[in-house]
Amino acid sequence: MDEYIRLMNKSEDYIEQNLSESISLDDLARNANMSKYHFHRLFSKYNEETVKQFITRIKMERSGMLLIARPDLSITELAFRYGYNDASTYSKAFKKHMGMSPSAFRTARNDKPS
Amino acid sequence: MEKPIITVEQYEAQVIYVRFRGTYVQFRKNSRKMFNELLAYAEKYALIKEGFTKVLTIYHDNPFITDASKLRTSIAMTVPPNTVLAEEGKISAMKMEGKYAILHYELSLGEYEQAWQYAYSEEFLQQGGYTLRDAVPFELYVTEPPKGFKGTSKTDIYIPVE
């Protein structure tokens, strides 16, 4: 059990080091030296979300942080940084996960009470 | 709490870690046990070097964005450079590297939250001219954390910057 937890942590580290890439289940399973089926089952059990859900969530949350703290980065630049080919696809994924568009998120989080 | 002294450094360290997933309250309840697991591994492989070894807490997620139940926090320990590690049990290894703005604090137990709030404040980041980099921040215990609420210890907060 402990070994599986370690392997899942290592997989998370791998994902976070490759957020600008399109990360496949094949890559992750190979990295963990497991079959795709076994890896996916273990990952979902340990994380309570699928590999795809985890990757998307981390990309949205990490880009959300930069939306707030990096006004110099455009939505298109952020889309490329997190492995999306265009701003539209990224914005759609962001809205689905966060409930608002990247621009609205940036404005809302940076608004300060007067 | 006094304003911290700030330095900017290129930092590189290999660390061993144990990771927790859950709220910060749950993490605090488990942190002693996690530290003991890490310590047992470090002692087994003679990784502790006086004057070199440091203990860190790594915050993988942002509590203002990530759901509290999914927050990941690691207790980590630096190991000497080029150490060949046999990862086992829950113990993994990773590298911390890159440019960091380091806030050097003298903190009591009740001041950590305020110290982190300042580290991510507009006052510190924008007015200081720091550009945030997408990497995990961490706190490094320069001296042993205080045992009670009255004592203080030297703690450095590392904020990844470009």
Side-chain angles (χ1 to χ4, degrees):
Chain A
M1 182 63 186
D2 283 354
E3 192 188 347
Y4 288 146
I5 291 173
R6 175 164 51 80
L7 283 172
M8 294 306 110
N9 288 339
K10 299 286 287 179
S11 300
E12 288 178 6
D13 292 345
Y14 177 86
I15 290 167
E16 292 189 84
Q17 283 154 15
N18 292 282
L19 287 177
S20 62
E21 310 295 326
S22 170
I23 306 156
S24 72
L25 183 58
D26 274 328
D27 294 334
L28 292 167
R30 200 178 313 115
N31 211 40
N33 205 20
M34 285 181 196
S35 72
K36 276 201 290 187
Y37 171 77
H38 191 202
F39 178 83
H40 193 265
R41 203 170 57 86
L42 271 175
F43 190 95
S44 305
K45 186 181 168 193
Y46 174 63
N47 284 285
E48 295 174 348
E49 59 194 332
T50 65
V51 174
K52 193 178 172 195
Q53 285 166 339
F54 177 84
I55 293 171
T56 305
R57 180 170 67 78
I58 294 297
K59 285 185 176 186
M60 296 306 111
E61 291 179 354
R62 298 285 282 266
S63 64
M65 182 64 209
L66 291 189
L67 276 166
I68 303 167
R70 294 285 305 273
D72 59 309
L73 293 175
S74 70
I75 309 294
T76 305
E77 283 173 304
L78 281 168
F80 292 149
R81 276 188 182 220
Y82 291 95
Y84 289 85
N85 290 328
D86 56 78
S88 165
T89 314
Y90 163 69
S91 296
K92 220 176 273 178
F94 191 91
K95 191 170 181 181
K96 191 176 172 192
H97 186 79
M98 296 289 196
M100 62 177 93
S101 70
S103 332
F105 184 85
R106 176 174 264 169
T107 308
R109 293 297 183 107
N110 282 329
D111 260 359
K112 296 197 171 48
S114 51
Chain B
M1 190 179 71
E2 284 189 18
K3 283 259 174 77
I5 294 167
I6 294 153
T7 57
V8 177
E9 290 171 30
Q10 199 71 30
Y11 181 78
E12 186 177 333
Q14 190 180 13
V15 302
I16 50 172
Y17 70 83
V18 186
R19 187 169 297 167
F20 182 81
R21 178 184 303 266
T23 68
Y24 286 159
V25 173
Q26 291 168 329
F27 165 69
R28 279 192 283 275
K29 282 182 189 163
N30 281 277
S31 59
R32 172 55 60 181
K33 185 175 156 239
M34 291 164 68
F35 173 73
N36 286 340
E37 286 173 349
L38 206 56
L39 188 64
Y41 175 91
E43 284 177 342
K44 180 180 171 184
Y45 291 102
L47 296 173
I48 298 171
K49 306 287 173 209
E50 205 180 325
F52 175 85
T53 304
K54 295 290 176 208
V55 175
L56 292 67
T57 300
I58 304 169
Y59 297 95
H60 300 270
D61 303 296
N62 186 303
F64 296 105
I65 296 180
T66 301
D67 186 273
S69 65
K70 291 192 165 107
L71 291 169
R72 295 165 302 149
T73 319
S74 297
I75 301 271
M77 190 182 280
T78 57
V79 297
N82 306 318
T83 304
V84 178
L85 294 163
E87 294 174 318
E88 63 182 31
K90 286 182 197 162
I91 314 289
S92 308
M94 67 188 289
K95 254 191 176 175
M96 312 296 295
E97 57 188 341
K99 192 175 168 184
Y100 292 86
I102 307 168
L103 295 83
H104 305 272
Y105 280 110
E106 176 88 40
L107 294 173
S108 65
L109 279 180
E111 291 176 325
Y112 279 79
E113 191 176 341
Q114 200 186 338
W116 275 99
Q117 276 172 2
Y118 177 72
Y120 275 93
S121 68
E122 190 179 320
E123 182 188 354
F124 172 68
L125 288 172
Q126 288 181 20
Q127 293 176 19
Y130 301 106
T131 305
L132 209 61
R133 176 169 61 87
D134 184 4
V136 290
F138 58 94
E139 60 194 29
L140 181 147
Y141 308 104
V142 180
T143 55
E144 206 171 317
K147 296 219 167 17
F149 273 85
K150 282 186 180 167
T152 61
S153 70
K154 289 185 191 304
T155 303
D156 292 346
I157 291 183
Y158 283 63
I159 304 295
V161 293
E162 287 190 348

